[in-house]
């Protein structure tokens, strides 16, 4: 299965930066052994998608509403993301879970809506630092997987330990491998052959210097990259670390 390196720009970026990124990834993508996805703020989706027409680089949203349409001021529907050129959407990111109180049930409802609108979902799971210290990470991630994925789910999972996001800290390679093996087991048990083929990304302080070690571990099918996805050189250095 080909790896996927996805950039999550969060609430960063502008039109000039998006266009510069498009030029860089357009040139680099054909030589990479992985697929690329960029998830800019919704305001930049259309610009970035247009600038990447004719390339294999995909664009995605960072969230969508659970309802297909209606009176939800300030929210964005999955169909609107699709209309703007997105093929993907990140759902259940820990910053959404923390800042907006998103529950597993809400994330599951969003995955259903996103799938119906033709988007592929990247569903994020991961334990907090206190949960890891208490040895609860397997139970926490297991519950998030069970609650956040609908029957027939066909997207991508991103394991993102909350304490590793934006901190420069990462789990040990053994801890990443153990969690990814657990997630694979859960996916296979629930979804059968589809579950054994699903990509499981690692996210949390991935940077050029640690990418090769983290991204070539068993069951790591790529990365979800925050801060290091804002600069083309770093993002592409991470993508180059994925072996075919
Ligand atoms: C993220 O927000 O998904 C993320 C992994 O961020 P960072 O790479 O900055 O830790």
């Amino acid at each position: 299965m080909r790896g996927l390196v996805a950039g999550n720009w969060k609430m960063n970026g502008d039109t000039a930066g998006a266009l510069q990124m498009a030029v860089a990834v357009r040139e680099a993508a054909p030589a990479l052994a992985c697929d690329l996805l960029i998830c800019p703020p919704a305001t930049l989706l259309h610009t970035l998608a247009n600038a990447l027409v004719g390339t294999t680089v995909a664009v995605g949203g960072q969230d969508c509403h659970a309802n297909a349409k209606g009176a939800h001021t300030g929210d964005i529907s999955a169909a609107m993301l699709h209309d703007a050129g997105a093929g993907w959407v990140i759902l259940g990111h820990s910053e959404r879970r923390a800042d907006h109180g998103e529950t597993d049930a809400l994330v599951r409802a969003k995955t259903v809506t996103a799938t119906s609108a033709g988007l592929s979902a990247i569903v994020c799971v991961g334990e907090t630092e206190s949960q890891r210290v208490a040895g609860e990470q397997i139970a926490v991630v297991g519950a998030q997987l069970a609650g956040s994925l609908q029957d027939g789910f066909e997207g991508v999972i991103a394991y993102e330990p909350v304490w590793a996001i934006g901190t420069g800290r990462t789990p040990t390679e053994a801890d990443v491998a153990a969690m990814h093996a657990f997630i694979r087991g859960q996916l296979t048990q629930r979804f059968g052959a589809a579950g054994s083929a699903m990509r499981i990304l690692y996210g949390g302080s991935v940077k050029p210097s640690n990418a090769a070690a983290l991204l070539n571990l068993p069951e790591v099918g790529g990365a979800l990259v925050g801060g290091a996805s804002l600069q083309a050189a770093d993002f592409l250095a991470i993508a180059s670390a994925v072996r075919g």
Side-chain angles (χ1 to χ4, degrees):
M1 183 192 340
R2 205 168 144 88
L4 172 68
V5 172
N8 171 16
W9 286 9
K10 312 191 185 194
M11 201 169 69
N12 297 293
D14 58 16
T15 304
L19 294 174
Q20 276 170 16
M21 180 64 81
V23 169
V25 296
R26 172 183 282 277
E27 211 163 283
L32 294 172
C34 63
D35 295 329
L36 290 182
L37 164 67
I38 302 175
C39 300
T43 50
L44 295 174
L45 267 178
H46 189 62
T47 299
L48 193 59
N50 268 356
L52 290 170
V53 165
T55 75
T56 56
V57 184
V59 300
Q62 298 174 10
D63 177 49
C64 68
H65 198 277
N67 291 355
K69 62 199 278 201
H72 303 289
T73 302
D75 280 313
I76 297 178
S77 74
M80 289 169 184
L81 296 178
H82 192 265
D83 184 52
W88 292 77
V89 64
I90 298 169
L91 295 174
H93 190 282
S94 60
E95 287 154 14
R96 299 283 322 168
R97 291 177 186 263
D99 294 355
H100 301 275
E102 294 199 0
T103 61
D104 292 336
L106 181 62
V107 175
R108 185 175 59 231
K110 290 183 178 198
T111 66
V112 172
T113 309
T115 308
S116 304
L119 299 176
S120 300
I122 298 179
V123 174
C124 303
V125 296
E127 80 284 359
T128 62
E129 181 151 35
S130 59
Q131 289 165 336
R132 161 82 48 181
V133 168
E136 295 167 357
Q137 65 273 15
I138 290 287
V140 167
V141 169
Q144 288 173 330
L145 289 171
S148 303
L149 306 180
Q150 84 270 31
D151 291 340
F153 175 76
E154 283 184 346
V156 170
I157 305 300
Y159 168 56
E160 298 207 304
V162 179
W163 52 273
I165 294 179
T167 60
R169 297 161 57 208
T170 57
T172 64
E173 290 168 33
D175 284 345
V176 172
M179 182 59 84
H180 279 241
F182 167 72
I183 293 172
R184 174 67 67 213
Q186 297 295 107
L187 295 176
T188 304
Q189 200 177 310
R190 180 153 173 211
F191 303 111
S196 35
M198 243 168 235
R199 288 191 277 207
I200 308 170
L201 310 183
Y202 168 76
S205 294
V206 177
K207 45 194 175 204
S209 58
N210 62 19
L214 289 167
L215 303 192
N216 294 297
L217 291 168
E219 303 295 3
V220 175
L224 180 54
V225 186
S229 71
L230 295 170
Q231 300 298 328
D234 287 349
F235 186 52
L236 291 170
I238 291 168
S240 305
V242 177
R243 290 196 286 267

